[in-house]
Amino acid sequence: MTTIAVTTKSEPILELEGVGKQFGSVIALRDISLHVRPGTVTCVLGDNGAGKSTLIKTLSGVHQPSGGTYRIEGEEVNLSSPRDALGKGIATVYQDLATVPLMSVWRNFFLGSEPTRGGPLRLIDVRRAKEIARKELLAMGIDIRDVEQPVGTLSGGERQAVAIARAVYFGAKVLILDEPTSALGVKQSGVVLKYVVQAKERGVAVIFITHNPHHAYLVGDHFFLLNRGRMIEDWERDEVSLDALVKAMAGGAELESLAHELKSLGGEVAEAAQEEIAEMRETQL
Amino acid sequence: MSTTTTPTATSPPARDERVAQTASLARLLRRPELGALIGAVGVFVLFAVVDQTGQFASLHGLARWSDSAATIGIVAVAVALLMIGGEFDLSAGVMVGSSGLVLGLLVTELYVMMWPAILLTLVFAAAIGAMNGWLVVKTRLPSFIVTLATFFSLQGLNLGLTKMITDTVRVSGIDDIPGFDSARAVFATDFWEPYKFRIAVVWWIGLTILATVVLARARFGNWITAVGGDANAARNTGVPVARTKILLFMFTSMSAALVGIMTALRLRSVQAGQGVGEEFTYIIAAVVGGCLLTGGFGSAIGASVGASVIGMAFIGIAFAGWNTDWSFLFLGVILFMAVMVNTIISRRASGGRG
């Protein structure tokens, strides 16, 4: 029953409806509804503890939802493992767990799906693998000096880029990016965002999970806001400004009360410090 | 592909410049076996100089130390693959004894013919290896602990069962069994008169080549490096981590069994304490050969070069007329120096980023 096609836009490739996830008595996700269209970047924003990781793991097949429906291309699915998800075209790039640092760029690119020439040893077609890796990385605008160099010698942004390019090459229809910019500097974040757009332009549905509203606003077409396990906002790009996004992210009213608290705390601290200084002067004299 | 990328790319000239000076040197320094190779040349020269017999640097000497190196190297190559895969096997030494005893007891007590007995011994070793691997993968305990437990259990069984069955600590009479001669011709003969190179050397070189090809070119080799380098990343890209590790443990046990079979056929009897203590010799050979203790990096050739260093040291000390008690001190010093050199080299090669 995918009759929610209210707009003229393309059908969602991935859809959650009323999905929840419970670990014993802890409710990590509650009534999550989300839809993702091909060729768009969908941002899921949330602070620490909002449920982002649980959502990623549910989407990528690590966790099975406790309730609700999960649809891929309109079909209801029950993913049993990350490999199962991968088979259905859902690739996840984890923040730090995407590449093996000591292995070369081309080996990382093909890891787990090496092109072989057959035979009892299943030898890798190294020349072809290197060629494809170089070509595919270049197509994503990633200029690697030497595909033979260890991934560990690349910058954090380039490493993420290799993982993204790999997922796109292996036919990912949905690309889930777990905080791809959180450990990076400003310039490196820009590099990664560029590849996010590249992937989108190649028709991939990108789910960009982040706590940085500035990065999200640069590339996002659709914004979901996650807080305490619930989806509290659902905005199309033209429905929201950066200011509103930042404010919503920072928790608006919460931030104001925090400011008050800090001010009063600062006052007390200053008072205490003054008293201490006065005491010290007295004893010295 | 290079023909199409070179003209289209806009920046290559500048980029090439910043890599060109260091690329080839860095790539050479990045080779894990480089340190071991330098060490091997040093050790060879040292023992050639102090040699009292005048034979160390000849084919006679080569036949002697390559024999010693082969029995270490056959297992060290497998141990190296296992270490690259991020695990240890402390039961590799005692497995040499266990498999020899299994072979001996099968033929002398159960009257199994030689070739079927050899096959059964290899199956036994594969089962022990699979058990090690399965326990490590399932319990997620460090393989150091799991295989230490296997080591002591097997050592106890070796002594206990041998004494119980034979009333001695050895199994003898293996050479009366049908098939002994043909088995000996495959596993324990020598060739090339008058130097008498051991056939084990051929097995050793063959296994080194096989392991090197697998590591550098086969899909399974890619998986070995990946599970040792970062098991989580490997799992996320769809590498069967558990299967890879279990197969590596099986390969290690089976190569130890190969040495056990060779030793039993060569000596025509098996001591219950055979192989104990050798596990560290294998690990030393692998580490001298450039394997990182943390996994994800190393080489099979390196482990064989490491085994050669140890073989040269054992034989060289004897040829120099020194007391062989010194050989362990020598091993200790070699181990420390090799690891230091390898660490410095790899830090340099990773450009200070690692």
Side-chain angles (χ1 to χ4, degrees):
Chain A
M1 289 292 288
T2 43
T3 46
I4 328 141
V6 263
T7 55
T8 50
K9 286 175 185 161
S10 56
E11 289 289 308
I13 181 161
L14 183 153
E15 219 177 341
L16 295 184
E17 209 182 305
V19 163
K21 178 66 192 172
Q22 236 170 303
F23 298 100
S25 61
V26 180
I27 300 166
L29 291 178
R30 189 185 297 209
D31 195 25
I32 300 287
S33 292
L34 173 121
H35 52 271
V36 179
R37 293 193 177 83
T40 64
V41 177
T42 304
C43 299
V44 177
L45 289 133
D47 205 353
N48 294 340
K52 294 190 305 260
S53 322
T54 313
L55 180 63
I56 295 169
K57 286 180 177 165
T58 307
L59 287 171
S60 63
V62 177
H63 294 327
Q64 282 68 50
S66 321
T69 49
Y70 183 171
R71 279 189 286 262
I72 296 173
E73 293 180 308
E75 298 263 320
E76 198 172 325
V77 292
N78 206 343
L79 301 176
S80 58
S81 69
R83 203 172 171 81
D84 191 12
L86 214 54
K88 293 191 163 64
I90 298 178
T92 311
V93 174
Y94 291 94
Q95 192 186 329
D96 292 322
L97 309 172
T99 51
V100 183
L102 285 171
M103 293 178 82
S104 67
V105 172
W106 73 265
R107 282 182 190 272
N108 264 292
F109 191 91
F110 281 101
L111 188 56
S113 317
E114 298 84 352
T116 61
R117 290 181 296 172
L121 288 177
R122 293 204 289 169
L123 295 183
I124 302 173
D125 192 342
V126 176
R127 241 180 45 170
R128 216 182 102 218
K130 282 189 195 171
E131 233 175 69
I132 294 172
R134 187 178 294 124
K135 203 177 71 186
E136 286 298 316
L137 289 170
L138 213 58
M140 289 281 292
I142 308 161
D143 185 12
I144 298 283
R145 282 151 269 163
D146 176 9
V147 289
E148 199 60 83
Q149 77 187 101
V151 160
T153 61
L154 301 180
S155 69
E158 286 173 315
R159 251 178 280 174
Q160 291 278 343
V162 169
I164 294 172
R166 171 174 68 191
V168 171
Y169 172 72
F170 285 107
K173 294 181 217 154
V174 180
L175 182 61
I176 304 170
L177 302 175
D178 172 24
E179 300 270 3
T181 59
S182 71
L184 304 178
V186 176
K187 205 174 162 195
Q188 290 293 322
S189 297
V191 172
V192 171
L193 294 177
K194 209 173 82 191
Y195 302 132
V196 169
V197 174
Q198 288 268 0
K200 162 191 157 170
E201 274 165 10
R202 295 177 93 176
V204 178
V206 181
I207 302 178
F208 179 16
I209 293 167
T210 181
H211 63 251
N212 188 326
H214 300 277
H215 290 166
Y217 200 74
L218 282 172
V219 294
D221 298 303
H222 200 133
F223 304 90
F224 288 96
L225 200 61
L226 202 60
N227 191 21
R228 300 173 73 88
R230 287 172 190 273
M231 211 57 111
I232 55 167
E233 300 287 358
D234 173 353
W235 284 315
E236 290 286 341
R237 186 175 181 90
D238 49 20
E239 293 170 350
V240 67
S241 67
L242 176 60
D243 272 353
L245 202 61
V246 172
K247 204 161 179 198
M249 219 358 240
E254 274 174 51
L255 198 67
E256 260 163 50
S257 75
L258 180 66
H260 277 300
E261 215 173 296
L262 282 173
K263 207 180 268 175
S264 67
L265 207 63
E268 275 171 35
V269 169
E271 255 171 57
Q274 274 174 347
E275 270 173 37
E276 224 167 279
I277 291 167
E279 257 175 56
M280 271 170 65
R281 279 200 182 136
E282 270 172 40
T283 50
Q284 272 176 352
L285 284 171
Chain B
M1 202 57 238
S2 54
T3 48
T4 55
T5 50
T6 344
T8 51
T10 47
S11 48
R15 299 222 164 220
D16 283 346
E17 229 170 60
R18 73 178 169 180
V19 231
Q21 306 118 335
T22 52
S24 51
L25 184 66
R27 203 174 286 178
L28 180 71
L29 289 179
R30 235 185 263 147
R31 295 299 315 165
E33 56 276 271
L34 181 79
L37 214 56
I38 296 169
V41 172
V43 170
F44 182 82
V45 170
L46 169 70
F47 285 111
V49 169
V50 299
D51 181 24
Q52 297 288 314
T53 61
Q55 287 198 333
F56 185 79
S58 72
L59 281 171
H60 278 288
L62 176 64
R64 288 289 306 283
W65 68 254
S66 67
D67 174 20
S68 175
T71 48
I72 299 165
I74 287 171
V75 192
V77 165
V79 166
L81 291 192
L82 184 67
M83 276 178 75
I84 296 168
E87 304 292 346
F88 280 105
D89 187 357
L90 294 181
S91 68
V94 77
M95 265 309 294
V96 172
S98 291
S99 47
L101 290 169
V102 166
L103 177 69
L105 292 174
L106 278 175
V107 295
T108 59
E109 299 292 328
L110 299 174
Y111 308 108
V112 180
M113 300 224 283
M114 187 54 79
W115 283 102
I118 286 173
L119 204 69
L120 284 173
T121 305
L122 288 171
V123 170
F124 161 77
I128 297 285
M131 188 195 73
N132 276 339
W134 186 80
L135 284 174
V136 167
V137 168
K138 279 289 156 196
T139 63
R140 299 186 182 197
L141 289 171
S143 50
F144 191 90
I145 297 298
V146 172
T147 58
L148 189 65
T150 314
F151 171 15
F152 275 78
S153 306
L154 285 177
Q155 193 180 6
L157 281 172
N158 286 0
L159 280 168
L161 285 178
T162 312
K163 268 191 190 166
M164 207 168 82
I165 296 169
T166 67
D167 283 326
T168 63
V169 287
R170 57 184 288 159
V171 176
S172 47
I174 294 172
D175 43 356
D176 300 335
I177 308 304
F180 175 81
D181 291 326
S182 60
R184 198 178 148 89
V186 174
F187 293 112
T189 188
D190 48 44
F191 62 98
W192 197 1
E193 297 292 335
Y195 309 111
K196 292 192 184 296
F197 280 84
R198 305 300 307 200
I199 195 82
V201 176
V202 177
W203 281 90
W204 171 40
I205 292 170
L207 274 175
T208 307
I209 292 170
L210 178 73
T212 302
V213 170
V214 165
L215 205 53
R217 287 287 176 265
R219 171 180 247 202
F220 189 68
N222 226 23
W223 294 356
I224 294 173
T225 320
V227 300
D230 189 335
N232 278 320
R235 197 173 290 116
N236 286 337
T237 53
V239 173
V241 175
R243 179 158 42 112
T244 306
K245 290 202 169 186
I246 291 173
L247 281 171
L248 286 173
F249 275 106
M250 290 169 73
F251 180 54
T252 307
S253 276
M254 289 171 79
S255 37
L258 180 61
V259 172
I261 293 164
M262 285 172 172
T263 313
L265 292 168
R266 180 168 170 184
L267 304 178
R268 294 159 199 266
S269 70
V270 187
Q271 300 282 342
Q274 192 103 48
V276 172
E278 290 294 310
E279 58 283 334
F280 284 112
T281 315
Y282 308 140
I283 292 175
I284 290 173
V287 171
V288 167
C291 287
L292 281 187
L293 288 163
T294 44
F297 188 75
S299 107
I301 294 184
S304 285
V305 176
S308 303
V309 170
I310 297 171
M312 282 193 275
F314 280 157
I315 301 302
I317 284 171
F319 276 27
W322 301 343
N323 191 326
T324 47
D325 297 341
W326 293 101
S327 45
F328 288 106
L329 173 66
F330 195 85
L331 273 195
V333 174
I334 283 278
L335 172 67
F336 184 76
M337 279 169 50
V339 172
M340 221 172 61
V341 169
N342 282 338
T343 309
I344 292 167
I345 286 175
S346 65
R347 265 186 216 147
R348 289 265 165 84
S350 59
R353 261 190 221 257

